[in-house]
Amino acid sequence: MEKFQRYYLSFLLLIVYTNTIAQVNCNAVEGEDCKKACELYNWASDRQGSRESQEGYKGIELCPDFSGAYMEKAVPYLNGSFVTWKIFIDKAVALDPKRNLGSREWGKFLFLRDYSGSIRDLEELKKYYPEGPGRSQNGGYNLDIVKATSYSALGQKEKAAGFIEGLLAARGYVKGLFDHYRLGVTYFELERYDKALENFEKQSKEYDFAENIYFKSKVSKIRNKDYLDLKKLALQTYDEGMAMRDAYSPSF
């Protein structure tokens, strides 16, 4: 349970952009007004999501070419005004694509369900972060798994499964907490139940949670085996909080 809570907290921090990513070295920014805009941005990013954080708006007036001010202004519009969000986040990306593409991609993926757009941004972002599978400026936010999930959401299940298999076999790949579960679900949807169960079992050994147990029960039901105990355990595990919950938007 403690392991899940730690992961869940880090996942939420990634969604609202971590301080590690958000903070800018203002000493490297030229011009007094732009330095002030940078300082406002750093101050606002520590309070992101609050009314206070919108002090960062003033940064645009001080320095119209400082991308962080546009990114900070964009964030609240993810609550539902996506057209306005895109205006500001596109401006931030145009000014500094390396720093802001990840933020735009995540908004497209999680809130807009724009999976094709998410993949395009990921491909562009990889130009700036060529270190290898699963690496990005988001301190562990796995670009490759997001891409695989996007392929799956677009109906390209075989491509998604092959992509994740390649990641898991890649040298130096840092496995995510839910990778085997995601792969198992993809195989389940392809009706390749042996491969699905194989990955659900691997997931159970590393970290088990409600959704994984639930899908194991579905495989058992298809095979005409007793599945009710597993289904009951899945519900119990869910009630205990060990599930893939997201405070912002339901995951795919």
Side-chain angles (χ1 to χ4, degrees), residues 15-149:
I15 294 173
V16 295
Y17 320 117
T18 62
N19 288 340
T20 302
I21 304 312
Q23 295 289 300
V24 178
N25 177 11
C26 297
N27 291 327
V29 176
E30 295 183 2
E32 288 304 313
D33 284 346
C34 288
K35 275 186 169 47
K36 180 62 176 176
C38 177
E39 290 166 0
L40 275 172
Y41 169 72
N42 284 342
W43 178 85
S45 65
D46 284 337
R47 298 160 177 80
Q48 199 165 70
S50 70
R51 182 181 296 273
E52 290 178 297
S53 75
Q54 297 317 301
E55 287 290 323
Y57 284 5
K58 296 176 182 177
I60 294 175
E61 301 169 11
L62 289 166
C63 186
D65 292 331
F66 179 62
S67 72
Y70 292 95
M71 197 283 285
E72 188 65 30
K73 187 167 183 176
V75 172
Y77 292 103
L78 278 172
N79 281 329
S81 185
F82 298 127
V83 172
T84 306
W85 169 79
K86 195 168 185 305
I87 290 171
F88 289 118
I89 198 65
D90 284 353
K91 179 68 174 177
V93 169
L95 289 167
D96 191 345
K98 183 177 180 179
R99 178 176 274 292
N100 296 297
L101 267 168
S103 300
R104 187 173 73 181
E105 178 279 323
W106 191 251
K108 287 180 178 180
F109 175 81
L110 190 65
F111 292 91
L112 274 67
R113 300 297 193 257
D114 177 9
Y115 300 113
S116 296
S118 172
I119 290 171
R120 287 194 298 271
D121 279 355
L122 287 170
E123 291 293 342
E124 188 173 352
L125 189 58
K126 278 292 187 181
K127 299 174 186 176
Y128 299 100
Y129 296 95
E131 300 94 337
R135 308 292 177 81
S136 82
Q137 91 282 17
N138 277 7
Y141 154 37
N142 196 314
L143 301 181
D144 297 289
I145 288 295
V146 171
K147 184 186 289 187
T149 307

Side-chain angles (χ1 to χ4, degrees), residues 151-165:
Y151 284 137
S152 182
L154 292 169
Q156 300 177 49
K157 305 293 182 183
E158 288 284 2
K159 188 171 186 176
F163 201 87
I164 300 175
E165 288 279 17

